[in-house]
Amino acid sequence: MTDIIIIGGGPAGLTAAVYAQRAGKSAMVLEKSGFGGQITYSHKIENFPSATSISGTELADKMVEQAINQGAQVELEEALEVTKNDDGTFTVITDFSKYDCKAVIIATGAKHRTLGVEGEENFIGSGISFCAVCDGAFYAGQEVAVIGGGNSALVEATLLAETCKKVTVIQNLPHLTGEKKVADALTARDNVEVIYSTVVERFEGEDELTAVILKSVDTGEETSINPSGVFVAIGLAPDNKAFENMTALDKTGYVIANETCTTDTEGVFVAGDCRTKQIRQITTATADGAVAALAACSYIDSKK
């Protein structure tokens, strides 16, 4: 039986594996698609301690290597269900097998919602980004576009307007839906333009993004803009549906937990972007991984 099963192989999950192994516990990481999570979409990361500049893929590879070197087991399997047994242990059922453990850490992350339009997948990480804090500095002095009109989009656009030559906000409604105070401050800036009642029809380019084709909701007329970069800010989607029977989720699907990374189910912990929190960055995910792992280790020791 494994001591701790970690569901999710992003920065939070991989950090949890390292801390669990170093605390003398056996850890298994289950990842359904690709180790590294959302960081693999970033072609350059410059805000992670010790790395002046590193690609998301390279950072993910280093994290996986570190976890394996510490003795963690990693499996490319999707966790479909978690059940708690009569003796207090857990069984994690995957698409290939099932595993027993003494504690569970949910670290499934949260995916940025995408537009689902033609060409989008081709430029994610290379012209299309989801995080101004992460990638905004790469477009200093250039023209960018922000897709969305809610609070997250307004915050992204405000941050970008500090350093970019021009920020064009594309909103599908005839008004912005974020807080009025934030919206008013943003639209008052000379370098910000808001295009209302408009959606993105497709992204164009070959080796790099060269044009964003827009379509008017009212008339169907197509126009194009040519920003250096596009920031899609239409919200996040946690991947916690499989665990709703095991721990409480908020109305948007995030596991309800604070900085202790404990849930309402004894023996189940949570780390990273999939929990309720304000800041979602690589550093906060790794911090959660450490906290959750040590909490899980203490829980296991308390049952001896």
Side-chain angles (χ1 to χ4, degrees):
M1 177 182 291
T2 303
D3 288 324
I4 304 171
I5 287 182
I6 302 157
I7 304 173
L14 293 170
T15 301
V18 169
Y19 271 76
Q21 290 290 152
R22 290 181 63 81
K25 301 294 188 287
S26 58
M28 174 189 291
V29 181
L30 300 175
E31 168 56 43
K32 70 175 183 179
S33 54
F35 289 96
Q38 290 296 304
I39 66 172
T40 58
Y41 291 118
S42 296
H43 68 284
K44 188 183 294 185
I45 295 170
E46 296 183 334
N47 60 352
F48 190 75
S50 80
T52 303
S53 180
I54 188 171
S55 73
T57 300
E58 184 181 0
L59 181 58
D61 288 344
K62 288 180 178 293
M63 288 183 169
V64 174
E65 181 181 7
Q66 184 180 24
I68 293 174
N69 286 343
Q70 291 291 332
Q73 183 179 351
V74 298
E75 299 292 344
L76 201 59
E77 299 180 28
E78 180 179 2
L80 302 176
E81 183 182 359
V82 178
T83 59
K84 191 168 187 177
N85 305 314
D86 293 339
D87 62 357
T89 63
F90 298 87
T91 298
V92 180
I93 301 171
T94 76
D95 49 353
F96 288 108
S97 186
K98 64 179 182 179
Y99 304 97
D100 295 322
C101 61
K102 299 175 183 177
V104 174
I105 297 176
I106 300 171
T108 49
K111 292 185 176 181
H112 292 279
R113 297 184 190 277
T114 59
L115 299 169
V117 301
E118 181 183 344
E120 184 177 25
E121 288 293 327
N122 298 336
F123 300 108
I124 291 178
S126 180
I128 297 177
S129 179
F130 301 94
C131 176
V133 173
C134 309
D135 301 329
F138 301 130
Y139 299 99
Q142 302 177 61
E143 296 188 7
V144 298
V146 174
I147 314 301
N151 281 329
S152 59
L154 299 184
V155 171
E156 295 281 281
T158 299
L159 181 60
L160 291 165
E162 294 289 341
T163 57
C164 293
K165 179 180 179 181
K166 181 181 180 181
V167 178
T168 302
V169 179
I170 312 300
Q171 167 67 323
N172 63 337
L173 299 173
H175 58 274
L176 297 173
T177 57
E179 294 180 15
K180 186 177 186 303
K181 185 176 181 180
V182 179
D184 289 345
L186 177 66
T187 54
R189 290 176 175 266
D190 293 335
N191 64 335
V192 174
E193 177 187 4
V194 182
I195 302 177
Y196 296 100
S197 300
T198 300
V199 296
V200 175
E201 183 72 5
R202 63 186 180 275
F203 295 96
E204 294 183 347
E206 293 185 6
D207 296 331
E208 61 182 25
L209 178 66
T210 57
V212 182
I213 308 304
L214 308 177
K215 183 178 181 179
S216 169
V217 173
D218 299 324
T219 67
E221 179 185 0
E222 290 190 1
T223 56
S224 68
I225 58 174
N226 308 98
S228 298
V230 175
F231 291 79
V232 178
I234 55 175
L236 293 168
D239 191 13
N240 296 322
K241 182 69 175 176
F243 317 114
E244 62 182 358
N245 68 314
M246 185 54 57
T247 186
L249 308 180
D250 72 3
K251 62 181 181 180
T252 56
Y254 291 94
V255 176
I256 299 174
N258 59 21
E259 298 302 316
T260 66
C261 295
T262 56
T263 73
D264 61 341
T265 299
E266 189 179 43
V268 177
F269 305 86
V270 62
D273 290 359
C274 63
R275 77 168 177 88
T276 50
K277 61 193 303 184
Q278 288 187 319
I279 306 299
R280 292 183 169 88
Q281 293 287 298
I282 305 173
T283 48
T284 61
T286 56
D288 275 5
V291 172
L294 295 177
C297 291
S298 294
Y299 166 77
I300 292 171
D301 291 340
S302 73
K303 298 301 179 182
K304 291 181 179 179

Short mmCIF file of all heavy atoms in Angstrom, two decimals, residues 227-286:
data_model
loop_
_atom_site.label_atom_id
_atom_site.label_comp_id
_atom_site.label_asym_id
_atom_site.label_seq_id
_atom_site.Cartn_x
_atom_site.Cartn_y
_atom_site.Cartn_z
N PRO A 227 -2.34 42.21 -33.22
CA PRO A 227 -1.56 42.38 -31.99
C PRO A 227 -0.35 41.44 -31.97
O PRO A 227 -0.35 40.40 -32.63
CB PRO A 227 -2.56 42.01 -30.90
CG PRO A 227 -3.44 41.00 -31.56
CD PRO A 227 -3.58 41.46 -32.98
N SER A 228 0.64 41.82 -31.21
CA SER A 228 1.81 40.94 -31.04
C SER A 228 1.47 39.74 -30.18
O SER A 228 2.04 38.66 -30.34
CB SER A 228 2.96 41.72 -30.40
OG SER A 228 3.35 42.79 -31.23
N GLY A 229 0.53 39.94 -29.25
CA GLY A 229 0.12 38.85 -28.38
C GLY A 229 -1.33 38.98 -27.98
O GLY A 229 -1.89 40.08 -28.00
N VAL A 230 -1.94 37.86 -27.64
CA VAL A 230 -3.34 37.83 -27.22
C VAL A 230 -3.44 37.14 -25.86
O VAL A 230 -2.84 36.08 -25.65
CB VAL A 230 -4.22 37.07 -28.24
CG1 VAL A 230 -5.65 36.94 -27.74
CG2 VAL A 230 -4.19 37.77 -29.59
N PHE A 231 -4.20 37.75 -24.97
CA PHE A 231 -4.43 37.17 -23.64
C PHE A 231 -5.90 36.80 -23.51
O PHE A 231 -6.77 37.66 -23.54
CB PHE A 231 -4.02 38.16 -22.55
CG PHE A 231 -2.54 38.40 -22.48
CD1 PHE A 231 -1.91 39.25 -23.40
CD2 PHE A 231 -1.76 37.74 -21.55
CE1 PHE A 231 -0.54 39.46 -23.36
CE2 PHE A 231 -0.39 37.93 -21.50
CZ PHE A 231 0.22 38.79 -22.40
N VAL A 232 -6.17 35.51 -23.40
CA VAL A 232 -7.53 35.01 -23.27
C VAL A 232 -7.86 34.98 -21.78
O VAL A 232 -7.21 34.27 -21.00
CB VAL A 232 -7.69 33.61 -23.89
CG1 VAL A 232 -9.11 33.10 -23.69
CG2 VAL A 232 -7.33 33.64 -25.37
N ALA A 233 -8.86 35.74 -21.38
CA ALA A 233 -9.21 35.86 -19.96
C ALA A 233 -10.72 35.68 -19.77
O ALA A 233 -11.45 36.61 -19.46
CB ALA A 233 -8.77 37.22 -19.42
N ILE A 234 -11.16 34.45 -19.98
CA ILE A 234 -12.59 34.16 -19.87
C ILE A 234 -12.87 33.17 -18.74
O ILE A 234 -13.90 32.50 -18.73
CB ILE A 234 -13.16 33.63 -21.21
CG1 ILE A 234 -12.37 32.40 -21.68
CG2 ILE A 234 -13.13 34.71 -22.27
CD1 ILE A 234 -12.95 31.77 -22.95
N GLY A 235 -11.93 33.08 -17.80
CA GLY A 235 -12.16 32.27 -16.61
C GLY A 235 -11.38 30.98 -16.57
O GLY A 235 -10.72 30.59 -17.53
N LEU A 236 -11.45 30.34 -15.40
CA LEU A 236 -10.77 29.07 -15.16
C LEU A 236 -11.79 27.98 -14.91
O LEU A 236 -12.91 28.24 -14.47
CB LEU A 236 -9.84 29.18 -13.94
CG LEU A 236 -8.63 30.10 -14.07
CD1 LEU A 236 -8.00 30.31 -12.70
CD2 LEU A 236 -7.62 29.51 -15.04
N ALA A 237 -11.39 26.75 -15.15
CA ALA A 237 -12.28 25.61 -14.93
C ALA A 237 -11.53 24.54 -14.15
O ALA A 237 -10.61 23.91 -14.68
CB ALA A 237 -12.76 25.04 -16.26
N PRO A 238 -11.86 24.32 -12.86
CA PRO A 238 -11.21 23.27 -12.09
C PRO A 238 -11.66 21.89 -12.56
O PRO A 238 -12.73 21.76 -13.17
CB PRO A 238 -11.67 23.54 -10.65
CG PRO A 238 -13.00 24.21 -10.82
CD PRO A 238 -12.88 25.04 -12.08
N ASP A 239 -10.86 20.89 -12.26
CA ASP A 239 -11.16 19.54 -12.73
C ASP A 239 -11.38 18.62 -11.52
O ASP A 239 -10.64 17.69 -11.27
CB ASP A 239 -10.00 19.03 -13.59
CG ASP A 239 -10.34 17.75 -14.34
OD1 ASP A 239 -11.53 17.40 -14.39
OD2 ASP A 239 -9.42 17.10 -14.85
N ASN A 240 -12.45 18.91 -10.76
CA ASN A 240 -12.68 18.21 -9.50
C ASN A 240 -13.97 17.39 -9.46
O ASN A 240 -14.34 16.88 -8.40
CB ASN A 240 -12.72 19.22 -8.34
CG ASN A 240 -11.40 19.93 -8.15
OD1 ASN A 240 -10.34 19.33 -8.29
ND2 ASN A 240 -11.45 21.21 -7.82
N LYS A 241 -14.63 17.26 -10.58
CA LYS A 241 -15.92 16.58 -10.61
C LYS A 241 -15.84 15.16 -10.03
O LYS A 241 -16.76 14.72 -9.32
CB LYS A 241 -16.42 16.51 -12.05
CG LYS A 241 -17.79 15.85 -12.23
CD LYS A 241 -18.90 16.69 -11.65
CE LYS A 241 -20.26 16.07 -11.94
NZ LYS A 241 -21.38 16.83 -11.31
N ALA A 242 -14.74 14.47 -10.27
CA ALA A 242 -14.61 13.08 -9.82
C ALA A 242 -14.51 12.96 -8.31
O ALA A 242 -14.64 11.85 -7.77
CB ALA A 242 -13.38 12.45 -10.48
N PHE A 243 -14.31 14.09 -7.62
CA PHE A 243 -14.08 14.02 -6.17
C PHE A 243 -15.19 14.67 -5.35
O PHE A 243 -15.05 14.86 -4.15
CB PHE A 243 -12.73 14.67 -5.84
CG PHE A 243 -11.64 14.29 -6.79
CD1 PHE A 243 -11.06 15.23 -7.62
CD2 PHE A 243 -11.23 12.97 -6.91
CE1 PHE A 243 -10.07 14.88 -8.52
CE2 PHE A 243 -10.24 12.60 -7.81
CZ PHE A 243 -9.66 13.55 -8.61
N GLU A 244 -16.29 15.01 -6.01
CA GLU A 244 -17.37 15.70 -5.30
C GLU A 244 -18.02 14.83 -4.23
O GLU A 244 -18.66 15.34 -3.30
CB GLU A 244 -18.43 16.20 -6.29
CG GLU A 244 -19.12 15.11 -7.08
CD GLU A 244 -20.12 15.67 -8.08
OE1 GLU A 244 -20.28 16.91 -8.11
OE2 GLU A 244 -20.73 14.89 -8.82
N ASN A 245 -17.86 13.51 -4.34
CA ASN A 245 -18.40 12.62 -3.32
C ASN A 245 -17.46 12.51 -2.12
O ASN A 245 -17.85 12.01 -1.06
CB ASN A 245 -18.61 11.21 -3.90
CG ASN A 245 -17.29 10.52 -4.23
OD1 ASN A 245 -16.41 11.13 -4.84
ND2 ASN A 245 -17.14 9.25 -3.84
N MET A 246 -16.23 13.01 -2.28
CA MET A 246 -15.22 12.83 -1.25
C MET A 246 -14.96 14.09 -0.44
O MET A 246 -14.60 14.04 0.73
CB MET A 246 -13.91 12.35 -1.91
CG MET A 246 -12.79 12.00 -0.95
SD MET A 246 -13.26 10.79 0.30
CE MET A 246 -13.80 9.42 -0.73
N THR A 247 -15.15 15.27 -1.05
CA THR A 247 -14.89 16.52 -0.36
C THR A 247 -15.77 17.63 -0.91
O THR A 247 -16.22 17.55 -2.06
CB THR A 247 -13.40 16.91 -0.49
OG1 THR A 247 -13.13 18.06 0.30
CG2 THR A 247 -13.02 17.18 -1.93
N ALA A 248 -15.99 18.65 -0.11
CA ALA A 248 -16.89 19.73 -0.52
C ALA A 248 -16.26 20.62 -1.58
O ALA A 248 -15.08 20.99 -1.49
CB ALA A 248 -17.26 20.56 0.70
N LEU A 249 -17.07 20.97 -2.58
CA LEU A 249 -16.65 21.89 -3.63
C LEU A 249 -17.50 23.15 -3.52
O LEU A 249 -18.66 23.10 -3.10
CB LEU A 249 -16.85 21.27 -5.02
CG LEU A 249 -16.25 19.88 -5.27
CD1 LEU A 249 -16.55 19.45 -6.70
CD2 LEU A 249 -14.75 19.87 -5.01
N ASP A 250 -16.93 24.29 -3.94
CA ASP A 250 -17.75 25.51 -3.97
C ASP A 250 -18.60 25.51 -5.24
O ASP A 250 -18.54 24.57 -6.04
CB ASP A 250 -16.89 26.77 -3.82
CG ASP A 250 -16.04 27.08 -5.06
OD1 ASP A 250 -16.15 26.35 -6.07
OD2 ASP A 250 -15.27 28.05 -5.02
N LYS A 251 -19.38 26.55 -5.44
CA LYS A 251 -20.33 26.57 -6.55
C LYS A 251 -19.66 26.57 -7.92
O LYS A 251 -20.29 26.24 -8.93
CB LYS A 251 -21.25 27.78 -6.43
CG LYS A 251 -20.55 29.12 -6.50
CD LYS A 251 -21.54 30.26 -6.35
CE LYS A 251 -20.85 31.62 -6.45
NZ LYS A 251 -21.82 32.74 -6.29
N THR A 252 -18.37 26.92 -7.97
CA THR A 252 -17.66 26.91 -9.24
C THR A 252 -16.79 25.67 -9.43
O THR A 252 -16.09 25.55 -10.42
CB THR A 252 -16.78 28.17 -9.38
OG1 THR A 252 -15.89 28.26 -8.26
CG2 THR A 252 -17.63 29.43 -9.44
N GLY A 253 -16.83 24.76 -8.44
CA GLY A 253 -16.14 23.49 -8.60
C GLY A 253 -14.79 23.38 -7.94
O GLY A 253 -14.11 22.34 -8.07
N TYR A 254 -14.36 24.40 -7.20
CA TYR A 254 -13.07 24.34 -6.51
C TYR A 254 -13.23 23.62 -5.17
O TYR A 254 -14.24 23.77 -4.48
CB TYR A 254 -12.51 25.74 -6.27
CG TYR A 254 -12.07 26.43 -7.54
CD1 TYR A 254 -12.93 27.28 -8.23
CD2 TYR A 254 -10.79 26.22 -8.06
CE1 TYR A 254 -12.53 27.91 -9.40
CE2 TYR A 254 -10.39 26.84 -9.23
CZ TYR A 254 -11.26 27.68 -9.90
OH TYR A 254 -10.88 28.29 -11.07
N VAL A 255 -12.20 22.86 -4.79
CA VAL A 255 -12.20 22.23 -3.48
C VAL A 255 -12.10 23.32 -2.41
O VAL A 255 -11.23 24.18 -2.46
CB VAL A 255 -11.02 21.25 -3.33
CG1 VAL A 255 -10.99 20.67 -1.91
CG2 VAL A 255 -11.12 20.12 -4.34
N ILE A 256 -12.99 23.26 -1.43
CA ILE A 256 -13.00 24.27 -0.37
C ILE A 256 -11.90 23.97 0.64
O ILE A 256 -11.95 22.95 1.34
CB ILE A 256 -14.37 24.33 0.32
CG1 ILE A 256 -15.46 24.70 -0.68
CG2 ILE A 256 -14.34 25.32 1.48
CD1 ILE A 256 -16.87 24.64 -0.12
N ALA A 257 -10.90 24.83 0.67
CA ALA A 257 -9.77 24.65 1.60
C ALA A 257 -9.02 25.96 1.73
O ALA A 257 -9.00 26.77 0.79
CB ALA A 257 -8.84 23.55 1.11
N ASN A 258 -8.39 26.16 2.88
CA ASN A 258 -7.58 27.37 3.08
C ASN A 258 -6.10 27.04 2.97
O ASN A 258 -5.73 26.01 2.39
CB ASN A 258 -7.93 28.02 4.43
CG ASN A 258 -7.69 27.07 5.60
OD1 ASN A 258 -6.94 26.09 5.49
ND2 ASN A 258 -8.34 27.34 6.72
N GLU A 259 -5.26 27.87 3.56
CA GLU A 259 -3.81 27.71 3.40
C GLU A 259 -3.26 26.45 4.08
O GLU A 259 -2.12 26.07 3.85
CB GLU A 259 -3.08 28.95 3.95
CG GLU A 259 -3.43 30.25 3.22
CD GLU A 259 -3.12 30.20 1.75
OE1 GLU A 259 -2.04 29.71 1.38
OE2 GLU A 259 -3.97 30.65 0.95
N THR A 260 -4.08 25.80 4.92
CA THR A 260 -3.62 24.55 5.54
C THR A 260 -3.73 23.37 4.58
O THR A 260 -3.19 22.30 4.85
CB THR A 260 -4.46 24.23 6.80
OG1 THR A 260 -5.82 23.96 6.43
CG2 THR A 260 -4.41 25.39 7.80
N CYS A 261 -4.45 23.56 3.48
CA CYS A 261 -4.63 22.54 2.44
C CYS A 261 -5.35 21.29 2.95
O CYS A 261 -5.23 20.21 2.37
CB CYS A 261 -3.27 22.15 1.83
SG CYS A 261 -2.47 23.50 0.94
N THR A 262 -6.12 21.44 4.04
CA THR A 262 -6.93 20.33 4.53
C THR A 262 -8.36 20.49 4.03
O THR A 262 -8.85 21.60 3.84
CB THR A 262 -6.94 20.30 6.08
OG1 THR A 262 -7.42 21.56 6.56
CG2 THR A 262 -5.54 20.05 6.62
N THR A 263 -9.03 19.37 3.81
CA THR A 263 -10.41 19.39 3.34
C THR A 263 -11.34 18.96 4.48
O THR A 263 -10.89 18.68 5.60
CB THR A 263 -10.61 18.45 2.15
OG1 THR A 263 -10.57 17.08 2.61
CG2 THR A 263 -9.51 18.66 1.11
N ASP A 264 -12.61 18.86 4.19
CA ASP A 264 -13.56 18.43 5.21
C ASP A 264 -13.59 16.92 5.39
O ASP A 264 -14.35 16.40 6.20
CB ASP A 264 -14.96 18.95 4.86
CG ASP A 264 -15.49 18.42 3.54
OD1 ASP A 264 -14.67 17.94 2.72
OD2 ASP A 264 -16.71 18.49 3.31
N THR A 265 -12.76 16.20 4.65
CA THR A 265 -12.65 14.76 4.79
C THR A 265 -11.28 14.42 5.38
O THR A 265 -10.25 14.75 4.79
CB THR A 265 -12.81 14.04 3.44
OG1 THR A 265 -14.11 14.33 2.91
CG2 THR A 265 -12.66 12.53 3.61
N GLU A 266 -11.27 13.78 6.52
CA GLU A 266 -10.02 13.41 7.18
C GLU A 266 -9.20 12.50 6.27
O GLU A 266 -9.71 11.50 5.76
CB GLU A 266 -10.31 12.71 8.51
CG GLU A 266 -9.07 12.50 9.36
CD GLU A 266 -9.38 11.82 10.69
OE1 GLU A 266 -10.18 10.85 10.69
OE2 GLU A 266 -8.82 12.25 11.72
N GLY A 267 -7.96 12.86 6.05
CA GLY A 267 -7.09 12.05 5.21
C GLY A 267 -7.03 12.51 3.77
O GLY A 267 -6.22 11.99 2.99
N VAL A 268 -7.87 13.48 3.39
CA VAL A 268 -7.86 14.03 2.03
C VAL A 268 -7.37 15.47 2.09
O VAL A 268 -7.92 16.30 2.83
CB VAL A 268 -9.25 13.97 1.38
CG1 VAL A 268 -9.21 14.61 -0.01
CG2 VAL A 268 -9.73 12.53 1.27
N PHE A 269 -6.38 15.78 1.29
CA PHE A 269 -5.78 17.10 1.28
C PHE A 269 -5.83 17.65 -0.15
O PHE A 269 -6.11 16.92 -1.10
CB PHE A 269 -4.33 17.02 1.79
CG PHE A 269 -4.24 16.40 3.16
CD1 PHE A 269 -4.16 15.01 3.30
CD2 PHE A 269 -4.28 17.18 4.30
CE1 PHE A 269 -4.11 14.42 4.56
CE2 PHE A 269 -4.24 16.60 5.56
CZ PHE A 269 -4.15 15.22 5.69
N VAL A 270 -5.56 18.93 -0.30
CA VAL A 270 -5.67 19.54 -1.63
C VAL A 270 -4.53 20.54 -1.80
O VAL A 270 -4.10 21.18 -0.83
CB VAL A 270 -7.04 20.23 -1.82
CG1 VAL A 270 -7.23 21.35 -0.81
CG2 VAL A 270 -7.21 20.75 -3.23
N ALA A 271 -4.03 20.66 -3.01
CA ALA A 271 -2.91 21.57 -3.28
C ALA A 271 -3.02 22.18 -4.66
O ALA A 271 -3.42 21.52 -5.61
CB ALA A 271 -1.58 20.82 -3.15
N GLY A 272 -2.69 23.46 -4.74
CA GLY A 272 -2.59 24.11 -6.04
C GLY A 272 -3.86 24.79 -6.50
O GLY A 272 -4.75 25.12 -5.73
N ASP A 273 -3.94 24.99 -7.81
CA ASP A 273 -4.99 25.80 -8.41
C ASP A 273 -6.39 25.23 -8.28
O ASP A 273 -7.37 25.92 -8.53
CB ASP A 273 -4.69 26.03 -9.89
CG ASP A 273 -3.50 26.94 -10.11
OD1 ASP A 273 -2.91 27.41 -9.11
OD2 ASP A 273 -3.14 27.19 -11.28
N CYS A 274 -6.52 23.96 -7.91
CA CYS A 274 -7.84 23.35 -7.83
C CYS A 274 -8.56 23.69 -6.53
O CYS A 274 -9.73 23.34 -6.36
CB CYS A 274 -7.76 21.84 -8.00
SG CYS A 274 -6.82 21.00 -6.70
N ARG A 275 -7.90 24.37 -5.60
CA ARG A 275 -8.56 24.75 -4.34
C ARG A 275 -8.97 26.21 -4.37
O ARG A 275 -8.51 26.99 -5.21
CB ARG A 275 -7.66 24.46 -3.14
CG ARG A 275 -6.55 25.48 -2.90
CD ARG A 275 -5.92 25.26 -1.53
NE ARG A 275 -4.81 26.16 -1.28
CZ ARG A 275 -4.93 27.38 -0.76
NH1 ARG A 275 -6.13 27.85 -0.47
NH2 ARG A 275 -3.86 28.11 -0.53
N THR A 276 -9.83 26.59 -3.44
CA THR A 276 -10.25 27.97 -3.33
C THR A 276 -9.07 28.82 -2.87
O THR A 276 -8.47 28.55 -1.83
CB THR A 276 -11.40 28.11 -2.30
OG1 THR A 276 -11.04 27.44 -1.08
CG2 THR A 276 -12.68 27.48 -2.83
N LYS A 277 -8.72 29.82 -3.66
CA LYS A 277 -7.60 30.70 -3.32
C LYS A 277 -7.64 31.92 -4.22
O LYS A 277 -8.34 31.94 -5.24
CB LYS A 277 -6.27 29.95 -3.47
CG LYS A 277 -5.99 29.46 -4.90
CD LYS A 277 -4.83 28.46 -4.95
CE LYS A 277 -3.55 29.02 -4.39
NZ LYS A 277 -2.41 28.07 -4.53
N GLN A 278 -6.87 32.94 -3.87
CA GLN A 278 -6.87 34.18 -4.64
C GLN A 278 -5.78 34.20 -5.70
O GLN A 278 -6.00 34.65 -6.82
CB GLN A 278 -6.69 35.38 -3.70
CG GLN A 278 -7.92 35.68 -2.86
CD GLN A 278 -7.76 36.97 -2.07
OE1 GLN A 278 -6.70 37.25 -1.53
NE2 GLN A 278 -8.79 37.77 -2.03
N ILE A 279 -4.59 33.74 -5.35
CA ILE A 279 -3.45 33.81 -6.27
C ILE A 279 -3.12 32.43 -6.80
O ILE A 279 -2.88 31.50 -6.02
CB ILE A 279 -2.20 34.40 -5.56
CG1 ILE A 279 -2.54 35.75 -4.91
CG2 ILE A 279 -1.06 34.55 -6.56
CD1 ILE A 279 -3.00 36.81 -5.89
N ARG A 280 -3.07 32.31 -8.11
CA ARG A 280 -2.74 31.04 -8.74
C ARG A 280 -1.50 31.25 -9.61
O ARG A 280 -1.58 31.70 -10.75
CB ARG A 280 -3.92 30.52 -9.57
CG ARG A 280 -5.10 30.09 -8.70
CD ARG A 280 -6.26 29.50 -9.50
NE ARG A 280 -7.23 28.89 -8.62
CZ ARG A 280 -8.25 29.53 -8.05
NH1 ARG A 280 -8.42 30.83 -8.31
NH2 ARG A 280 -9.07 28.90 -7.24
N GLN A 281 -0.35 30.91 -9.05
CA GLN A 281 0.94 31.02 -9.72
C GLN A 281 1.73 29.74 -9.45
O GLN A 281 1.36 28.93 -8.58
CB GLN A 281 1.71 32.23 -9.20
CG GLN A 281 1.09 33.58 -9.54
CD GLN A 281 1.26 33.92 -11.01
OE1 GLN A 281 2.37 34.07 -11.51
NE2 GLN A 281 0.15 34.06 -11.72
N ILE A 282 2.82 29.54 -10.17
CA ILE A 282 3.63 28.33 -9.95
C ILE A 282 4.13 28.29 -8.52
O ILE A 282 4.11 27.24 -7.87
CB ILE A 282 4.84 28.30 -10.92
CG1 ILE A 282 4.39 28.42 -12.37
CG2 ILE A 282 5.61 26.99 -10.75
CD1 ILE A 282 5.53 28.56 -13.35
N THR A 283 4.58 29.44 -8.01
CA THR A 283 5.14 29.47 -6.65
C THR A 283 4.09 29.15 -5.60
O THR A 283 4.38 28.48 -4.60
CB THR A 283 5.77 30.84 -6.37
OG1 THR A 283 4.85 31.87 -6.75
CG2 THR A 283 7.07 31.01 -7.14
N THR A 284 2.85 29.61 -5.79
CA THR A 284 1.82 29.30 -4.80
C THR A 284 1.39 27.84 -4.90
O THR A 284 1.01 27.23 -3.90
CB THR A 284 0.59 30.22 -4.96
OG1 THR A 284 0.00 30.03 -6.25
CG2 THR A 284 0.98 31.68 -4.80
N ALA A 285 1.48 27.28 -6.09
CA ALA A 285 1.16 25.86 -6.27
C ALA A 285 2.21 24.99 -5.57
O ALA A 285 1.86 24.02 -4.88
CB ALA A 285 1.10 25.51 -7.75
N THR A 286 3.48 25.32 -5.75
CA THR A 286 4.53 24.53 -5.10
C THR A 286 4.45 24.67 -3.58
O THR A 286 4.69 23.71 -2.85
CB THR A 286 5.92 24.92 -5.61
OG1 THR A 286 6.12 26.33 -5.42
CG2 THR A 286 6.09 24.59 -7.09
#
